[in-house]
Amino acid sequence: MRARSIIADTFRFLLGNRQLVLLWSAVFLALSMVMIFTTRPMLAQFPHFQPGVPPALLLRTLVLNLITMAVMVVLVAAAMRAVLRPEDSAPGKMRLSLDEVRLVGLGLIVTIGCYLAVLIAFAIVMLLAVGLGLLAKPLGVAIGIILGIPVLLAPIYVLTRLSLAGPLTLLRGKIIIGDAWRLSAGAFWPLFRLYLIIGIVTFLLVVVAMLLFTPEVFQLYLHPFDPKRIAALQARSTEAGPSPWLLLNAVVGALTGGVMTALQGGSVALAAQELLAARRLDQEA
């Protein structure tokens, strides 16, 4: 597997499925409008909030976050489905089915498993470092650094190797973890380069979009604690009626989200497809 070929295929997938990308962008736009009109009253009241967050605000934020996560799962699954099941007739390849439920379950299993593994590994490293530090402090510090760095880097390796679990789960209709690990054997570096490049491209896409169309938001990222910028952005966000600025912000964000969905979901599905094809060739040889 070569990262360069998958990246080229990913951009061909993006350009060859413009209608799908527009449909996914439309879903992002609908979500953005819901969030704008739901949170605008909240933003308007923000300067008058007393210390402590009102329970109603926490509940509304929680619901919006859950909806956003559900939409992201549906869209990423749609992008993978467009690669793995191009014959699927669902609008935009989007479905609310057991496939999406399985992807959520897979994500929870991998995330919780990695978190617990890192937590246990850190506890062991700390015990070793403290124990050896009692004998010789420099030895304890050295062991903590030598063993701590691999523990920090291990999740990158594990998550990269297991990244094919999503496409395989979608393809086979059941949660797949072990075979994703086996399929990615020997392909860590190509997969890592692929995800790194796609990540850089999507990051630059977001930055360029903000610079060209919503520079106020970009400036706020650069100066997050500037009260004047915060007040100005908040005033524009709470203007009466759907202002042109808010609509432009929503449209640009939606188009960016559609493109990012195609790049991220498409790239991992294409990688899985190529590795599965290589495996079949090996088995037939």
Side-chain angles (χ1 to χ4, degrees):
M1 172 189 164
R2 293 186 304 169
R4 183 181 300 177
S5 66
I6 300 297
I7 291 169
D9 289 342
T10 300
F11 280 96
R12 278 193 288 270
F13 168 74
L14 171 66
L15 296 175
N17 291 276
R18 292 185 291 273
Q19 290 184 341
L20 288 178
V21 174
L22 288 176
L23 280 173
W24 299 335
S25 299
V27 173
F28 271 112
L29 180 59
L31 178 63
S32 297
M33 298 310 294
V34 169
M35 295 186 72
I36 286 171
F37 286 105
T38 303
T39 57
R40 279 173 66 211
M42 183 170 56
L43 289 171
Q45 297 171 10
F46 185 79
H48 308 293
F49 283 159
Q50 300 300 319
V53 182
L57 174 57
L58 282 175
L59 180 61
R60 186 180 300 182
T61 303
L62 176 62
V63 170
L64 286 173
N65 286 337
L66 289 175
I67 292 173
T68 301
M69 289 172 61
V71 170
M72 290 301 301
V73 170
V74 169
L75 290 175
V76 171
M80 292 192 294
R81 192 177 285 117
V83 173
L84 301 171
R85 298 179 189 165
E87 72 283 357
D88 194 292
S89 60
K93 312 296 181 186
M94 294 178 287
R95 292 184 179 275
L96 284 172
S97 65
L98 289 176
D99 284 337
E100 284 70 25
V101 175
R102 282 186 284 265
L103 288 174
V104 171
L106 172 66
L108 290 174
I109 292 170
V110 172
T111 301
I112 294 172
C114 281
Y115 177 79
L116 291 177
V118 169
L119 198 63
I120 293 169
F122 259 122
I124 294 172
V125 169
M126 289 298 295
L127 287 174
L128 285 173
V130 171
L132 293 173
L134 294 175
L135 299 176
K137 188 175 180 180
L139 179 61
V141 173
I143 291 297
I145 294 173
I146 292 171
L147 296 182
I149 291 175
V151 170
L152 285 174
L153 296 178
I156 298 175
Y157 178 79
V158 172
L159 292 175
T160 300
R161 289 285 307 274
L162 291 179
S163 61
L164 304 180
L168 292 183
T169 295
L170 189 67
L171 196 59
R172 298 178 184 174
K174 60 181 180 179
I175 293 178
I176 303 293
I177 295 178
D179 198 37
W181 184 267
R182 290 187 290 272
L183 185 62
S184 62
F188 168 75
W189 286 113
L191 287 171
F192 179 76
R193 287 194 295 270
L194 169 65
Y195 301 146
L196 179 63
I197 293 170
I198 293 296
I200 292 172
V201 170
T202 53
F203 172 75
L204 292 176
L205 177 66
V206 171
V207 170
V208 170
M210 285 196 298
L211 278 173
L212 292 177
F213 300 102
T214 56
E216 298 92 342
V217 177
F218 184 77
Q219 288 297 323
L220 187 61
Y221 277 108
L222 295 179
H223 308 281
F225 303 109
D226 187 336
K228 291 183 178 180
R229 295 182 189 275
I230 294 173
L233 186 60
Q234 188 173 347
R236 297 193 69 173
S237 300
T238 55
E239 290 175 357
S243 68
W245 182 83
L246 275 177
L247 292 176
L248 177 63
N249 194 12
V251 169
V252 172
L255 289 172
T256 304
V259 172
M260 289 172 61
T261 298
L263 291 176
Q264 294 171 348
S267 62
V268 68
L270 286 163
Q273 193 176 60
E274 180 168 319
L275 288 171
L276 284 171
R279 174 192 279 182
R280 284 193 293 270
L281 289 175
D282 290 340
Q283 290 172 344
E284 292 170 0

